Amino acid sequence: MADGVQRAGTTLPDGGEALAWRLEGMDCASCVAKVEGALARMPGVSAVEANLMGERLTLRLDRSAGPEATPETVERRLAAIGHPATRLAPPGAPATHRAREAASEAHARGEAFLHAHGDEDDDEAAEGRRWWQTAKGRLVLGLGALVAAAWGLSHLLPREAYWIYLAATLVALWPFGRRAVALARAGNPFSIETLMCVAALGAVAIGAAEEAAVVVFLFALGELLENVAAGRARAGIRALVELIPRTARRERADGAVEAVPAERLGVGDLVRVRPGDRVPCDGEIIEGRSSLDESPVTGESVPVPRGPGEPVLAGSVNADGNLRVRVTRAAADNTLARIARMVEEATASRAPTQRLVERFARWWTPGAMGAALLTILVPPLLFGGDWWTWTYRGLALLLVACPCALVISVPAAVASGLSAGARRGLLVKGGAALEAIGAARTVAFDKTGTLTAGRPRVTDVVPLAAGADDAAVLRSAAAVEAGSSHPLARSVVEAAAAHGIAPPPATEAGTVPGKAVFATVEGRRVEVGSPRHAAEAGAALPAAAAARIEALEAEGKTVVAVLSGGAPLGLLAFRDEPREDAAAGMAALRGLGVTPVMLTGDNERTGRAVAGALGMEVRAQLLPEDKLRVIEAMKADGPVVMVGDGINDAPALAAASVGVAMGGGTDVALEAADAALVRERVMGVAELVALSRATVANIRQNVGIALGLKALFLVTTLAGVTGLWIAILADTGATVLVTANALRMLRWRPAAVPGPSTEAPA
C-alpha cells in the first residue's frame, strides 16, 4: 500500500486519514489511470492507489485542506467518471455481507478482510450474478435494443433513417459523453471515452449516423467483455478465500460442540474436524491423527500425515481421522487470508514492462488525435482529396488508436501469472519480481534450512580435555545453547536430552556474530563456535583434533569447538541432510540455463561435500557481510535470485535482484522477501523461474497482438478498406484476444519445468 495506507478510516500521525473503497467497473489498466488521475488533483488527496484486480482504491485524505476534502466528494467524482464506489468500513464496524451470518465482533477477528475481498463485486462472477445482471450488461442490452429499433424503423421510414440513427446515437452517447466531460474536468482530456465520442459525433456530422450508433454499441460491448474477463481473472484470488468453510465445529468449555461461523473463531479456541471436513482455521493438532490434503493451499498433491503437536492450515481437507485442533491464527490472519491479501496487493505493483506501456499510452492517445487531425486536413488541403472521405478515415483512425488492448496486455498476464503461482504455493509480490525471476542466470542458495531440511543432528562428540567425556562436552555446550533458536543449538539441546543430561543454568550469554556463542557456566566462560574462532581466541587445538576435524568435514559434517575457560573442551559434529528434492531442483535449474550456487558459512569441505552431491558451485566460510559482497559481485553479470529461510539471510535476500524465502507459511517469509515458497521444496525455485518465463512470454504475445492488430487496421483504415465500425470492433477484438490469452496463464502447471539428467555439470 502506498505510504502506509492500510485500513479504511485509519487516522495517520500527520493528521490525515487512510481511506479505502471498493470500485465498480474496473476492467483494464486505463481504468486505473483514469481513477488515479481524476483524484490526484483533488485538494487534500494524496497517495492514491487503485488496484485493478482487487477493485480497490486507497488514498490519504487531509480534511483540513478545505470543504471539498471529504469522502463524499471523492465518491461523487468517482461516480462521475463511471466508477461508483462503496466505502469499506473501518475495522469493528458491521459489514453488510457477513452481518447476516455473524455478530459484529466477527469483524474484530478478521471479517473486514474477507468482506474486502470481493464479497460484493460487480462483475460476472460475484454473488452468482451473470453479465446481463450487471450495470454494464444492462447498458449493452439497452443500447443493442435501441440500435436494433433504429435499424427496424429505418426500413419502415427510409427518409427519416438518418434522424432515427441520430437519436439512437445521441441517447447512446449520453453516459459516455458525461464520463468524458467529467474526465476532462478532472484533468484527463485524452481519455478513451473522448476518442470514441469525438469519432461518433464526427461520423454524425458527415452523415454516417448509422455507423456512429453501431460504434457506440460496440464500444459498450467491448467494456462489458473486459468486465467479464476481469471478473474471471479475479475469481482465482477470490477462490482462495472461499476455500475456508463458512462454519466451524467449536468445542465449548463443557465439552459440547456448537456450529459457529468460521470468522468468529479466536486464537485458543478448540475445534473438531471430522473426516472429509475442510479445516476452518490455522491451528495445531491437540488430539487425533489423520492425513491432510493440503493441495488447495500449498499445491502438494500427496496427503500429508499429521498428528498431535503438528500444524494444520485453513482450507486443507481432513482425509480419514477425527481431529481436535487449537486455533493459532484469527480468520483475518490465517495462511489463506494472508496469501490472498498478498496476491491482491501484488497485482497493484506494476511490472517494468507495464510501466513502459503506460508511459507510451499517455503519449499515444494525444498523438493519435493529432494524427487523425492531420489525416483529415492534409490530403484535402495539399493534394485535393475529398473532405468526406478523409474525414471519415480520420475518424476511423481515432477508433483504431484506442489503447485498451495495449494497456490491458501486461497487467492481465501478470495477474494471471500471480494467481496461477499462488494456487501452487509460489507467492510473488508483484509484477516487477515476477519479471526479474525469469531473467536471472544465477540462483544463490543458503544451505541450512534451504537446501537442507534445517534439522541437523549431533553425529559425533570428541572430548579433548583431560578427564572430559562425551557427557561433559554435551553438558557445557547445551548450557550455552539452551536459550538459542538456531538449528545447531536446538540439536545440541536435543542430543543432551537424549542422553539424559540436564544442562546447568548459564548467565551473561552473548554472541560473536557469525562465529560463536558464549555464556558463563558454573563460574567458567564457555564458548561454542567454529574451529577458526577457537584459533582466533588463542585456544590451540591439538594436532590430533585438527586431523579429526578434517576427516569429519570431509564427510560433509559441520564441526564446532567447545571451549571452557579458554581451553579446548571438545568437538561436536553435525550433519544436516539435503532435502529430498534438492538434487532434482538443481538439475531443473540447470535445464533452464540457470547456474545454482551455494553460499554457506560452513567450512569449505562441508560445503563441497553437500554441493558436490547436488551438482552445484559453492562459496563457503562466508559471514553475512561476505554473502552481501558475493551477491553484489554476481549482480554485475546480471540479475541474481537469492533463496534463504527469510530470517538469518535477510540482508542477502534484500541485496539480491529478487529474494525468495523458503517456507511461505511463516510471517517472516511472507513479509521479508520478494517471493516465497509455501511448500518447502527446492524444486519450487525452478518452478518460479518457469512461471516467470511463461508470464513474460505471455506478455510479449499480448503486446504483439495489440500492436500488430493496431498496425494492420491503421493501414487498412488509411487505405479505405475498413471503416468506423470495423475499427472499433478491431479494438474490442484485440482487447478480448489479449485478455483471453492472459487467462491461459491460469492453467499453467509446474510440470512445465524440464527434468534433465541429474548428472552434475563437469
Side-chain angles (χ1 to χ4, degrees):
M1 293 292 181
D3 294 326
V5 176
Q6 298 291 338
R7 294 186 173 190
T10 302
T11 301
L12 302 173
D14 61 4
E17 191 176 0
L19 301 174
W21 285 266
R22 183 184 59 79
L23 299 175
E24 295 182 15
M26 296 293 287
D27 305 328
C28 68
S30 63
C31 297
V32 173
K34 286 190 294 186
V35 169
E36 293 181 346
L39 298 182
R41 297 172 177 84
M42 289 184 60
V45 173
S46 61
V48 181
E49 183 177 288
N51 186 327
L52 171 63
M53 301 312 297
E55 293 183 295
R56 189 88 68 86
L57 167 69
T58 58
L59 54 80
R60 185 194 301 259
L61 182 65
D62 182 3
R63 300 192 191 222
S64 65
E68 292 297 306
T70 65
E72 292 73 23
T73 306
V74 171
E75 290 164 10
R76 284 196 296 271
R77 177 158 292 190
L78 289 169
I81 63 174
H83 296 286
T86 302
R87 187 175 172 189
L88 299 178
T96 57
H97 184 73
R98 299 294 189 200
R100 296 188 296 268
E101 298 179 356
S104 60
E105 71 264 20
H107 256 296
R109 293 177 178 173
E111 186 183 36
F113 169 72
L114 294 174
H115 168 67
H117 275 74
D119 285 332
E120 299 177 301
D121 281 337
D122 186 38
D123 60 51
E124 177 253 344
E127 295 183 346
R129 297 168 67 185
R130 296 299 183 182
W131 64 265
W132 58 82
Q133 297 172 310
T134 65
K136 289 188 175 182
R138 291 191 294 270
L139 177 62
V140 167
L141 291 175
L143 292 181
L146 186 64
V147 172
W151 180 82
L153 286 172
S154 68
H155 284 75
L156 296 175
L157 304 169
R159 293 183 179 180
E160 285 76 27
Y162 173 84
W163 301 105
I164 295 172
Y165 279 114
L166 173 62
T169 301
L170 294 179
V171 171
L173 271 179
W174 175 250
F176 300 112
R178 288 181 58 193
R179 197 187 306 173
V181 171
L183 286 165
R185 293 177 61 186
N188 184 14
F190 299 111
S191 64
I192 295 170
E193 287 82 357
T194 300
L195 287 181
M196 191 272 298
C197 290
V198 169
L201 291 174
V204 168
I206 63 174
E210 179 180 354
E211 291 189 68
V214 174
V215 161
V216 179
F217 168 70
L218 290 176
F219 181 81
L221 178 62
E223 282 202 333
L224 175 64
L225 292 174
E226 290 172 2
N227 183 256
V228 171
R232 291 184 176 175
R234 293 183 187 110
I237 301 173
R238 187 182 302 108
L240 292 172
V241 178
E242 292 301 321
L243 287 173
I244 303 174
R246 296 299 178 93
T247 60
R249 302 176 70 246
R250 184 171 64 184
E251 185 179 308
R252 296 202 306 247
D254 61 3
V257 176
E258 60 180 347
V260 299
E263 294 87 352
R264 294 182 63 182
L265 293 176
V267 176
D269 283 351
L270 297 177
V271 297
R272 302 280 184 89
V273 185
R274 298 169 297 191
D277 284 354
R278 198 177 289 275
V279 179
C281 59
D282 278 9
E284 178 184 355
I285 297 176
I286 302 302
E287 184 180 313
R289 290 186 176 276
S290 182
S291 294
L292 291 171
D293 177 7
E294 298 180 350
S295 59
V297 186
T298 67
E300 176 60 65
S301 58
V302 179
V304 181
R306 293 280 189 250
E310 294 186 294
V312 294
L313 301 178
S316 54
V317 179
N318 181 20
D320 50 25
N322 286 292
L323 298 178
R324 192 163 170 250
V325 177
R326 177 185 291 117
V327 179
T328 56
R329 293 184 186 274
D333 201 34
N334 66 43
T335 300
L336 273 176
R338 287 181 293 138
I339 290 173
R341 182 165 56 238
M342 195 196 80
V343 173
E344 181 181 294
E345 291 173 355
T347 60
S349 172
R350 292 170 170 85
T353 305
Q354 182 178 344
R355 293 182 185 277
L356 177 63
V357 167
E358 288 176 354
R359 286 197 299 269
F360 177 69
R362 280 198 293 269
W363 292 99
W364 171 287
T365 304
M369 296 189 77
L373 184 61
L374 291 175
T375 301
I376 293 171
L377 297 177
V378 171
L381 291 177
L382 298 184
F383 305 106
D386 177 66
W387 280 100
W388 190 97
T389 299
W390 287 102
T391 299
Y392 183 89
R393 293 180 183 180
L395 294 174
L397 181 61
L398 276 182
L399 298 178
V400 170
C402 284
C404 290
L406 184 61
V407 294
I408 193 62
S409 60
V410 180
V414 169
S416 295
L418 292 171
S419 296
R423 290 179 180 181
R424 292 160 183 84
L426 310 174
L427 307 182
V428 186
K429 292 187 176 181
L434 187 59
E435 282 195 27
I437 291 171
R441 287 295 175 265
T442 304
V443 177
F445 289 87
D446 173 53
K447 181 175 77 71
T448 304
T450 302
L451 288 172
T452 64
R455 292 186 293 273
R457 60 184 182 86
V458 176
T459 58
D460 301 87
V461 181
V462 183
L464 296 179
D469 57 10
D470 291 5
V473 177
L474 278 174
R475 184 172 183 272
S476 295
V480 175
E481 301 280 23
S484 174
S485 60
H486 192 280
L488 293 183
R490 289 198 301 269
S491 66
V492 172
V493 174
E494 289 168 1
H499 287 79
I501 299 170
T507 59
E508 301 176 357
T511 64
V512 180
K515 296 181 180 180
V517 293
F518 60 84
T520 300
V521 181
E522 297 177 332
R524 297 173 66 85
R525 179 183 170 98
V526 176
E527 301 172 67
V528 181
S530 64
R532 184 173 65 175
H533 168 72
E536 292 173 354
L541 299 177
R548 187 65 187 276
I549 290 172
E550 184 174 349
L552 291 170
E553 290 179 346
E555 297 172 10
K557 298 176 181 179
T558 299
V559 181
V560 299
V562 182
L563 309 180
S564 179
L569 177 64
L571 303 174
L572 296 175
F574 308 81
R575 182 161 54 201
D576 185 14
E577 298 297 334
R579 295 180 184 272
E580 291 183 2
D581 69 331
M586 297 306 103
L589 283 173
R590 293 195 301 272
L592 290 167
V594 178
T595 301
V597 179
M598 179 196 294
L599 306 182
T600 179
D602 275 344
N603 63 81
E604 189 78 24
R605 294 189 189 90
T606 300
R608 288 191 179 281
V610 176
L614 300 179
M616 60 190 306
E617 300 177 17
V618 62
R619 311 284 176 85
Q621 292 182 295
L622 300 178
L623 298 175
E625 57 268 27
D626 297 326
K627 288 186 179 181
L628 288 180
R629 285 195 292 270
V630 171
I631 291 290
E632 292 296 340
M634 289 179 175
K635 285 171 67 177
D637 297 325
V640 176
V641 173
M642 172 67 192
V643 187
D645 61 13
I647 303 173
N648 298 327
D649 298 301
L653 289 171
S657 306
V658 180
V660 178
M662 181 73 75
T666 66
D667 287 329
V668 173
L670 284 174
E671 301 298 334
D674 302 300
L677 305 177
V678 173
R679 297 166 63 186
E680 296 190 348
R681 297 171 57 254
V682 178
M683 182 65 79
V685 180
E687 291 171 358
L688 271 176
V689 173
L691 173 64
S692 170
R693 293 183 182 179
T695 304
V696 170
N698 193 278
I699 289 171
R700 290 171 178 164
Q701 292 164 8
N702 280 352
V703 172
I705 291 170
L707 292 179
L709 286 176
K710 294 293 180 188
L712 172 63
F713 284 99
L714 174 65
V715 173
T716 58
T717 297
L718 292 176
V721 177
T722 54
L724 285 174
W725 71 274
I726 290 291
I728 192 66
L729 186 61
D731 179 71
T732 299
T735 301
V736 172
L737 281 176
V738 299
T739 306
N741 188 50
L743 290 176
R744 289 192 309 109
M745 282 300 303
L746 293 175
R747 299 195 300 270
W748 178 86
R749 295 288 185 274
V753 175
S757 168
T758 56
E759 278 187 26

